Amino acid sequence: MEQTDNPPSPEASARQTNARDCADMERLVAGQDTALNDLMERHATPVFHFLCRLVANEDDANDLAQETFVRVFKSRESFRMGGKFSTWLYTIAANLARNHFRWRSRHPNISLEAENPETEQTLGGSLPSDSPAPNEQAFAAERAAAVRAAVEKLPEDMREAIVLCEWEELSMAEAAEVLETTLKAVESRLYRARQLLRERLKSWL
C-alpha cells in the first residue's frame, strides 16, 4: 500500500515559516533587497488584517502596513537572527499603530462599518471570516458587527491584547514581547477586556 506523508503540525509549519523568514532576513542584511519581496508575500496580508483590527480604517491600515515593511528594510540589521521574525514584525506594526493613535486622537474616529467608497464594502466585511450556513448569515453578520464595535470601543491597551491573543493567536508571552510589556500586564489587560466584552455582548452570548 502506498504511504502518504502526514501534513506538518501547526508548530512544525510555524518553525518552517520562521526558518524561511530568518533566511530571507539574512539575505536582506547581505544586500539582496529582493528578499523583502518574499517576506512581504508571506506576511503583508496578515499584517494588514492585524492593523485593520487595531486602527479600524482600511486606508490607514494599508499605509501602516507599507510603512511596516519600510521599517523592516531600514532596521534589518537590528533583527536578532534566530529570533521569531513574526514577533519582531508585529512589534514594528504595533508601534506604528500607537503613533497613529496619538495622531488620530486629534481627528474623528472612523468606524469599522464605514464603507470604502471604491469597493462599497465595509472594513469589517473585507476581513476574512468563516462563512456560516445561508440561514445563519444575517445573524452572524449582526453578531460580528456587534463584536467589532465592542472591540473598537475598548481602551487601546486592551484592544491590542485582544487582537493579538484572540485574532492573531499569539501566546500571552509573545503578545507581551510585541507590546513591550510584562506577561502579567497582558494577562491583566486580557482579563479586563474580556470582562468588558462579556458585559457589552451579553445579549449575544
Side-chain angles (χ1 to χ4, degrees), residues 53-156:
R53 289 161 178 148
L54 283 186
V55 304
N57 180 276
E58 196 171 32
D59 292 332
D60 290 343
N62 186 57
D63 290 343
L64 291 171
Q66 293 183 46
E67 180 61 23
T68 296
F69 286 98
V70 171
R71 297 292 179 91
V72 166
F73 181 79
K74 290 181 176 178
S75 305
R76 58 194 181 279
E77 294 186 358
S78 69
F79 175 67
R80 181 171 54 85
M81 295 299 175
K84 191 170 182 181
F85 173 78
S86 61
T87 301
W88 184 67
L89 179 67
Y90 279 116
T91 301
I92 294 172
N95 285 334
L96 288 171
R98 288 195 199 101
N99 292 339
H100 177 75
F101 284 134
R102 284 191 282 272
W103 173 86
R104 200 174 69 177
S105 65
R106 300 186 298 273
H107 299 76
N109 288 334
I110 299 177
S111 170
L112 279 165
E113 298 309 306
E115 282 193 355
N116 182 318
E118 296 181 0
T119 64
E120 296 184 353
Q121 183 180 36
T122 65
L123 171 59
S126 71
L127 299 182
S129 61
D130 295 329
S131 298
N135 63 334
E136 297 176 350
Q137 287 182 355
F139 176 80
E142 291 179 13
R143 181 175 56 191
V147 171
R148 287 193 296 270
V151 171
E152 185 180 353
K153 292 177 182 176
L154 288 173
E156 179 184 337

Side-chain angles (χ1 to χ4, degrees), residues 3 27 83 102 104 108 129 149 167 169 174 184 198 205:
Q3 293 183 342
R27 291 169 52 216
R102 284 191 282 272
R104 200 174 69 177
S129 61
W167 271 315
E169 299 182 345
E174 290 172 328
K184 293 297 291 183
R198 189 173 293 114
L205 299 177

Side-chain angles (χ1 to χ4, degrees), residues 9 12-13 25 42 49 82 95 105 109 117 120 145 157 160 165 176 191:
S9 67
S13 180
M25 285 302 297
R42 285 194 294 276
H49 289 156
N95 285 334
S105 65
N109 288 334
E120 296 184 353
D157 59 343
E160 289 175 336
C165 293
Y191 175 79

